[in-house]
Amino acid sequence: MNIHEFQARELFAEFGVATQPGSVAHTPDEAETVATGLNQGKLVIKAQIHAGGRGKGTFKNGFKGGVHLCDTPSEAKDLASKMLGQVLVTHQTGPEGKEVGKIFVGEAVDIARELYFAILIDRATSVPVLIASTEGGVDIETVADKTPEKILRLSINPFLGIMPYQTRLIASSLGLTGPLMNQASKLFTNLYRLFIERDCSMVEVNPLVVTTDGRLMALDAKFNFDDNALYRQPSIIAMRDVTEEDPREVEASKHGLNYIGLDGNIACLVNGAGLAMATMDIIQHAGGSPANFLDVGGGATREQVASAFRIILADSRVKGILVNIFGGIMDCDVIANGIVEAAKETGLSIPLVVRLEGNNVEAGKKTLAQSGLKLESGENILDAANRIVAAVKSAA
Amino acid sequence: MSILVTPDTKVLIQGITGSFGARHAKLSLDYGTKVVAGVTPGKGGQLFENQVPIFDTVEQAVRESGATVSAIFVPPPFAADAILEGVAAGLELVVCITEGIPVIDMMRVKEAMKGSKTRLIGPNCPGLVTPGTGDKSHGGCRIGIAPGYIHKKGSVGVVSRSGTLTYEAVWQLTTRGYGQSTCVGIGGDPINGTSHIDILKMFNEDPETEAIIMIGEIGGSAEEEAAAWAAEHCKKPIAGFIAGATAPEGRRMGHAGAIVSGGQGTAAGKIAALRAAGIEIAETPSDMADALIRRMKR
C-alpha cells in the first residue's frame, strides 16, 4: 500500500522525525489559510498524487509543473486554483494522468546538502538494514551502480533495535558533526521506531537535507507498508486513497481476488500466484500480450470465478480470455460450471480458451463441451496460449 | 530414502479443528500419512475424525504421540507464535502453510530460531510430499495442501516457491513415467525458513534422488545463490523454471516475495544465472519435465 506525501509528513510528525512545516489543502481557500499559518518566507506548493516526477509534469489544462514556489498566501491560493481538480501527467502516471484532489502547502527550505537514508528488510539476512549515502536527491540505484563506495549499509539486530552507536556511525559517515550529529541520531532512531511500529517494508528518505541554517530534516519520503500487517494497522488503512488505485484492482480486492492490471489485450484467470505469473509469461512467449495478473486462489468458488469474469470483461482493451486451472484439490467440474455460468451471464462475445487439468478433469471438460459456448480447450498451457493468441489475431 | 520426511514420519497438525486445517488433515489421513496428533488450545481431550487425539499444547502432543514434524494451519496473527511453540517443543521440522504473516513477525521468528535444532519450511507454502508405493502414491507422507494423487514414487526431487507450479511439474513428471523422491514447496514470502539452496544440498546428499527440478520466481536472489552453489557442488542434473518475466517492476505478484525492485530480482537475471550454472531452462511452464529429461540425456 502507498500513501501521499502529506500523509508521510503526518507520520513523521507523530514519531518526531524532523520535516518541513506545512499541511494538506483541498481547496484554494484552505491553501491560503495553511500558508497564512506558516512562517513568513518562501512557500512550496506540491500536487498530491501517488506518482513521481511531479515537478516536471504538466497539467492537461496546460499549466506546467506539479511543484511550485511562491512568496505570499494569496499566491499560494492562486497556484492551488490552477492545480486542484486538474489532471497532472508525469512520466510515472502514463498519458491518462491523475486528477489532483489535494495539495501540500509548506515552508520552503534553503538546502545546503542533500543526503539519502532508508530502512528496509533485507531478504538475504532477514533483518532490517539501514542504508545511507552522501548522494541524496538522485536515484539510489544509479549511485549503487556507479559509485557503490558511497553507500553505507548497516544491519540491525531485530531484538536490540537501532543502537545509539549505529546512529552516530551513520551520522559520521554522512559528515553530520557537531549539533547535526545529535539531530541525526534522534531522526534515525525515531524513523526506525516508526518503521517497526507501523509495519513498514521500506521507508526511503530522499532527500534528507541539511538546511543553510543548520537543521536536518526529511524533505521527501517514500513509504511501503507490509500488506500482510495491515490488519493491525488501522491508522495506515485509513490513509488508503482508492482514487489513486486502478479501479479494476479495487473491485477485485472486494471479491478476494488477486488482480493486477497490465496493458495487453489477453486476459488470464488462473489459480495460484506462481502459475498466474507463468501464464502471463507464456502469453507473451506465444506472441500475445497479457492484460492482467489474476490469481483466484487455491479454493476458488463459482462466485469468485464469475466476479473474475466480470472484472476482466469490464476492461475494453481485453480481446480474449485464457483460463488456466490446475485443480489439485478443487474439482475441475466446479470450476467448469463457474466458467459456463459466468460466460452466459456476461454474454461473452470474445474468444475464450480454457485449459483444465487435475481433479475430475474429464467431467469438467464435458461440462465445457456441452455448454453450447463458443470456446476452445487447450491440451496444455502452451497449446492454450497459442490458441488464444491465434484467436485474438484472427478476430482483429 | 527421501529428504526431510518418510512414509513413517509421525505428523502433528497445529490448527487441526479450523476448516482449512481439518480439510487437509483429513486428506493427509486418506493419503495414508501418519497424522498422530492435533493441537487446538481449549479442545484438548477430543478426537479428530474419531481417531486423532487433540491436545491443548504442542509440548503435550509431542510427549504423548511421538510426533517429530508439525504442519501449521493457524491464522496469520497467531502463526508466529505457533511456529515458536513447535520449536520450543523440540520438533525436527515445522511446516508453516499459513499465508499472510507480517514480515516483521517472521523476522523475529527467524532470529529467535537461531541455534535451535528445528528446521522451518514456509510460511505461505504448500508443504511437502514424499510419495508412497501404493496406488496413486498412496501411503506417502503428505504435509500441507498438495494434491497427493498426482505424485508417483521415484527419483526426481522438486523444489519450488509456488504451489500450483509445483503441481504442474509433478503432474508432468508423473504422466511421463518419472516418479519423485520428495517435492518441497518452500513458500512465496520474502522471509522463509528454508531456501532453494538448503533443499538442493539435501537432494544432492540423498542417494534416492537422481535429478532435480528447481522452480523459482521474481524477487530476491535465492535462485541465483542456489545456482552458484549447484555449479560448484551439485552432482545431479537440474532443470529450472523462473516465473514472472512479464511482471511490472515494483508490483507484488500475488506472493508477498514476488517483486522486482530497483532492477533486482528479475526473471531475466535469474534465468541467466541458472543457465550459467549448467541448469537446463524450461522455456514455458509446459516444458518443466521435458527440460529435465533433455538435461538427463545431455
Side-chain angles (χ1 to χ4, degrees), chain A residues 32 43 59 121 124 134 182-183 195 205 219 271 292 316 324 345 348 363 384:
Chain A
E32 187 176 28
L43 295 162
F59 288 89
I121 304 227
T134 50
N182 282 336
Q183 289 184 44
F195 180 87
V205 178
L219 203 60
N271 66 327
N292 64 276
S316 61
N324 182 16
E345 183 200 311
L348 182 75

Side-chain angles (χ1 to χ4, degrees), chain B residues 31-58:
Chain B
Y31 189 62
T33 301
K34 294 188 171 50
V35 178
V36 296
V39 174
T40 298
K43 294 199 176 169
Q46 301 179 16
L47 283 179
F48 174 76
E49 290 281 313
N50 295 318
Q51 54 175 316
V52 180
I54 300 175
F55 299 90
D56 286 320
T57 68
V58 176

Side-chain angles (χ1 to χ4, degrees), chain B residues 31 80 150 170 212 233 274 289:
Chain B
Y31 189 62
I150 63 171
V170 168
I212 302 161
H233 305 285
L274 265 58

Side-chain angles (χ1 to χ4, degrees), chain B residues 170-200:
Chain B
V170 168
W171 186 239
Q172 288 169 24
L173 287 167
T174 296
T175 51
R176 284 161 179 74
Y178 290 80
Q180 305 90 38
S181 52
T182 301
C183 304
V184 188
I186 58 173
D189 271 8
I191 295 184
N192 58 15
T194 296
S195 63
H196 280 108
I197 195 168
D198 299 326
I199 301 294
L200 283 191

Side-chain angles (χ1 to χ4, degrees), chain B residues 2-296:
Chain B
S2 53
I3 65 165
L4 295 161
V5 293
T6 73
D8 295 324
T9 300
K10 291 180 178 171
V11 182
L12 73 85
I13 294 180
Q14 292 172 254
I16 197 166
T17 55
S19 63
F20 190 38
R23 179 160 185 235
H24 286 285
K26 175 77 170 55
L27 286 166
S28 287
L29 283 168
D30 292 347
Y31 189 62
T33 301
K34 294 188 171 50
V35 178
V36 296
V39 174
T40 298
K43 294 199 176 169
Q46 301 179 16
L47 283 179
F48 174 76
E49 290 281 313
N50 295 318
Q51 54 175 316
V52 180
I54 300 175
F55 299 90
D56 286 320
T57 68
V58 176
E59 186 271 335
Q60 251 183 321
V62 168
R63 189 155 35 85
E64 300 283 332
S65 71
T68 56
V69 174
S70 144
I72 294 178
F73 285 91
V74 308
F78 317 110
D81 181 58
I83 294 169
L84 292 177
E85 185 179 2
V87 173
L91 289 166
E92 287 171 19
L93 178 67
V94 170
V95 182
C96 186
I97 308 302
T98 308
E99 175 174 7
I101 305 175
V103 178
I104 284 176
D105 291 8
M106 278 312 301
M107 176 181 90
R108 291 184 176 130
V109 165
K110 282 272 278 197
E111 193 69 19
M113 281 183 70
K114 278 186 183 164
S116 87
K117 66 165 197 168
T118 307
R119 170 172 293 284
L120 172 67
I121 290 184
N124 188 14
C125 78
L128 63 161
V129 175
T130 290
T133 50
D135 180 40
K136 294 182 176 174
S137 76
H138 188 271
C141 183
R142 170 190 183 270
I143 297 174
I145 59 175
Y149 70 93
I150 63 171
H151 295 80
K152 172 184 160 74
K153 188 168 175 50
S155 59
V156 178
V158 179
V159 55
S160 169
R161 273 163 76 182
S162 146
T164 35
L165 278 175
T166 312
Y167 314 156
E168 288 283 353
V170 168
W171 186 239
Q172 288 169 24
L173 287 167
T174 296
T175 51
R176 284 161 179 74
Y178 290 80
Q180 305 90 38
S181 52
T182 301
C183 304
V184 188
I186 58 173
D189 271 8
I191 295 184
N192 58 15
T194 296
S195 63
H196 280 108
I197 195 168
D198 299 326
I199 301 294
L200 283 191
K201 285 178 182 171
M202 289 180 221
F203 281 142
N204 197 38
E205 295 299 314
D206 173 35
E208 195 187 43
T209 302
E210 289 169 11
I212 302 161
I213 291 184
M214 174 170 120
I215 302 166
E217 60 193 32
I218 53 166
S221 57
E223 291 86 352
E224 289 90 327
E225 285 150 25
W229 178 86
E232 284 286 311
H233 305 285
C234 192
K235 308 175 289 226
K236 301 174 182 178
I238 308 177
F241 176 73
I242 302 289
T246 51
E249 171 151 0
R251 298 300 307 266
R252 271 168 217 287
M253 306 306 286
H255 288 153
I259 180 166
V260 172
S261 47
Q264 301 294 304
T266 64
K270 287 176 190 289
I271 289 169
L274 265 58
R275 273 220 175 89
I279 294 170
E280 180 76 20
I281 297 292
E283 295 290 343
T284 73
S286 292
D287 185 42
M288 292 189 283
D290 290 334
L292 186 66
I293 295 166
R294 283 199 301 276
R295 177 65 186 81
M296 287 195 285

